[in-house]
Amino acid sequence: MGGVVYQVYIRSFADSGGDGIGDLPGIAAHLDYLTQLGIDTLWLSPVHPSPNVDWGYDVADYRAVHADYGTLDDLDALIAGAGARGIDIWLDLVPNHTSDRHPWFRDRPEYYVWSERIPNDWKSVFTGEAAWRFDSTRRQFYLHQFTPEQPDLDWWNASVRNEFDDILRYWFDRGVTGFRIDVAHGLIKDRRLRSGEKYMRDRPEVHEIFRRWQEVAGEYIPKPTLMGETYVPLERLPAYYAHLDLAQNFPFLKADFDLDELRPIVETTMAELPKGREPVWFGSNHDHSRMATRWAGGDERKHEAALFLILTLPGSAILYQGDELGLEDGTVSKDRILDVADPPRDPERTPFPWTRGGDEWQSPWLPLADTSRNAEDSSILPYTRDLIARRRELGDGYRTLPSARGVWAYARGETTCVLNMTGDTAEHDGAILQPWQGLILPSS
Ligand code: NOJ
């Protein structure tokens, strides 16, 4: 499965060409760094040609590579280079919608969701207005859950399903070993387009799509992994494990970094997880304020506590690029904002600081304002590496153990993890815990 998954936001990771945009050769040039970090899997943000209305999440061709990032050969080389180091490559699959520049939108309009009039109260996530836009050529409205330039595909259409089976095979044949599935909970909508949020997302028919994709994945050895971006409440998460290998836990990410909030989420997740499935934990991504800011408020010890938790809970862990350094949100002035969302997501997408001076980035697409936390002299990086290495010591399962107030203790098989979730010194079973300190204790 995923193990430690490292999420690369390609545009901001490493620029090999000097144009201020990260690219695939840039990632390939940093495979040593990633190997030393100890990760198992690289999840790449969308690599495909895109007009970038939503920075790659508006795909114009599912089988090609965006010229900004390199070529198909570059991607093949990255897959091979990573594979030689035991690192898997996952791509970001965007099956809910395409770009309105995708040839399908003109040549295969029946692939999209149309209506003669605005049929319901569904709202666009980005505009907050009706999720329907009038198309003057077809003289009908089409559905767009996101921007009007991202028309939703009609997953009731058998041809759409066939197209994606082929897209999956195309990438599995090239050596891709998994997909993160964008808007996994929202692919299929109520066939009758009834009003109400519950008819727009988290529909029961969505699971059949994933069942079918597992059949496709089952044609390959080892079977590739399917991880869903599942924005659903905790009690809805187990349903997605019927056919997904991993379902992303957003209630965990969205909680405050607070014992009384997080522990019940972990306990419920573990208790409800279907047999044989594993959870996946993360505190940052390209859509949310980085955990070094949102959870830790810049406090390095608190950030280490968050890393400890994510990396010692059972299952897979995702680090968003920079989490390993305690990288905080960047500062992006109003005139540099490029994102469509409000509030904009640019602060969590700023370039990765490789050096103290930041000279590796010439006129980057988003500003690199602060390089005080960088890969060259980060004090957190050795901590993260060590923790990833020590994951091997941990046993299976999760069981909450009795502990003092403010301390989170849990058994991982024969091993005990203790995390001080306070800014004061604490104690567990005779071991002294500094503020926010986590310890892996041998079995007693
Ligand atoms: C979720 C992606 O992570 C986000 O960046 C994007 O804007 C939406 N899905 C729409 O594709």
Side-chain angles (χ1 to χ4, degrees):
M1 199 84 39
V4 178
V5 179
Y6 189 85
Q7 182 192 352
V8 171
Y9 193 74
I10 303 175
R11 223 174 170 76
S12 285
F13 188 61
D15 172 14
S16 76
D19 61 358
I21 298 174
D23 48 43
L24 295 169
I27 303 171
H30 288 90
L31 283 174
D32 278 348
Y33 172 83
L34 296 165
T35 307
Q36 278 160 23
L37 187 55
I39 58 138
D40 302 290
T41 304
L42 272 187
W43 149 28
L44 307 182
S45 58
V47 292
H48 309 301
S50 163
N52 283 338
V53 172
D54 187 15
W55 297 105
Y57 289 94
D58 44 328
V59 175
D61 180 353
Y62 289 95
R63 288 181 175 80
V65 167
H66 197 301
D68 281 353
Y69 303 147
T71 62
L72 204 49
D73 284 347
D74 292 328
L75 184 50
D76 287 341
L78 178 60
I79 294 169
R85 292 156 187 269
I87 297 176
D88 280 348
I89 299 283
W90 293 358
L91 296 188
D92 208 314
L93 182 71
V94 188
N96 177 70
H97 47 267
T98 69
S99 161
D100 61 353
R101 309 283 178 83
H102 193 295
W104 290 343
F105 196 54
R106 288 297 149 214
D107 303 344
R108 296 258 184 273
E110 70 279 12
Y111 282 11
Y112 297 83
V113 184
W114 296 93
S115 175
E116 292 196 343
R117 60 194 68 81
I118 295 182
N120 55 33
D121 63 359
W122 299 352
K123 299 280 182 281
S124 149
V125 170
F126 289 139
T127 67
E129 320 225 309
W132 298 90
R133 154 90 40 124
F134 188 69
D135 180 83
S136 48
T137 318
R138 217 173 136 94
R139 306 206 58 74
Q140 287 194 346
F141 292 86
Y142 65 85
L143 177 67
H144 62 89
Q145 233 182 115
F146 296 92
T147 70
E149 292 81 9
Q150 294 166 292
D152 279 48
L153 287 161
D154 181 4
W155 276 91
W156 290 102
N157 184 323
S159 304
V160 169
R161 295 184 188 225
N162 293 335
E163 294 276 9
F164 275 87
D165 288 353
D166 290 349
I167 291 167
L168 256 59
R169 286 194 186 97
Y170 176 84
W171 289 110
F172 292 154
D173 286 342
R174 296 198 97 87
V176 165
T177 57
F179 282 107
R180 173 267 192 184
I181 303 158
D182 191 60
V183 203
H185 58 298
L187 300 190
I188 196 157
K189 289 86 192 170
D190 177 45
R191 201 167 203 165
R192 289 161 54 196
L193 304 176
R194 281 171 285 187
S195 275
E197 170 84 23
K198 66 174 183 182
Y199 290 113
M200 193 180 187
R201 301 190 185 94
D202 195 16
R203 304 297 306 152
E205 300 88 359
V206 77
H207 305 293
E208 165 56 23
I209 300 171
F210 305 137
R211 192 202 57 73
R212 177 165 163 157
W213 288 358
Q214 286 293 1
E215 253 177 44
V216 175
E219 295 164 14
Y220 295 81
I221 299 173
K223 188 194 79 61
T225 300
L226 299 178
M227 176 174 80
E229 185 206 27
T230 39
Y231 265 104
V232 292
L234 209 52
E235 65 274 15
R236 299 288 310 140
L237 209 53
Y240 285 84
Y241 274 102
H243 300 294
L244 290 175
D245 301 295
L246 296 170
Q248 286 194 293
N249 191 329
F250 283 95
F252 178 86
L253 166 129
K254 285 183 179 172
D256 286 343
F257 196 70
D258 176 86
L259 178 56
D260 293 333
E261 274 204 40
L262 283 169
R263 188 163 52 188
I265 293 175
V266 169
E267 288 172 345
T268 307
T269 305
M270 294 311 298
E272 304 290 316
L273 199 67
K275 228 177 159 15
R277 293 300 200 191
E278 66 171 55
V280 54
W281 314 102
F282 58 104
S284 310
N285 74 16
H286 61 295
D287 293 330
H288 296 275
S289 166
R290 291 175 174 131
M291 68 186 197
T293 298
R294 195 171 40 86
W295 274 354
D299 180 335
E300 297 202 353
R301 292 172 310 176
K302 203 168 171 185
H303 182 74
E304 287 183 353
L307 287 168
F308 183 89
L309 183 64
I310 286 171
L311 290 166
T312 60
L313 286 174
S316 289
I318 307 174
L319 296 181
Y320 179 50
Q321 62 185 45
D323 281 350
E324 74 275 24
L325 312 174
L327 186 65
E328 288 202 64
D329 291 339
T331 306
V332 184
S333 58
K334 264 205 168 119
D335 57 318
R336 293 289 304 269
I337 294 291
L338 296 174
D339 186 29
V340 283
D342 185 16
R345 297 164 293 183
D346 308 73
E348 52 263 27
R349 298 176 175 183
T350 51
F352 186 98
W354 288 100
T355 61
R356 243 162 274 144
D359 300 329
E360 66 279 8
W361 288 99
Q362 303 301 318
S363 313
W365 74 292
L366 282 177
L368 174 59
D370 178 8
T371 55
S372 54
R373 294 211 178 135
N374 61 73
E376 205 168 34
D377 53 15
S378 161
S379 61
I380 296 181
L381 183 57
Y383 176 85
T384 313
R385 280 190 191 136
D386 183 54
L387 209 49
I388 292 176
R390 294 195 65 194
R391 275 167 67 84
R392 269 178 248 128
E393 295 168 28
L394 304 170
D396 290 336
Y398 169 91
R399 189 163 45 88
T400 298
L401 297 172
S403 57
R405 217 181 142 71
V407 173
W408 191 346
Y410 42 99
R412 296 289 327 278
E414 295 298 303
T415 331
T416 296
C417 296
V418 240
L419 178 58
N420 181 359
M421 292 285 287
T422 74
D424 301 318
T425 307
E427 193 253 323
H428 183 85
D429 248 358
I432 300 297
L433 294 155
Q434 297 306 316
W436 303 110
Q437 188 181 14
L439 289 176
I440 299 174
L441 304 174
S443 52
S444 45

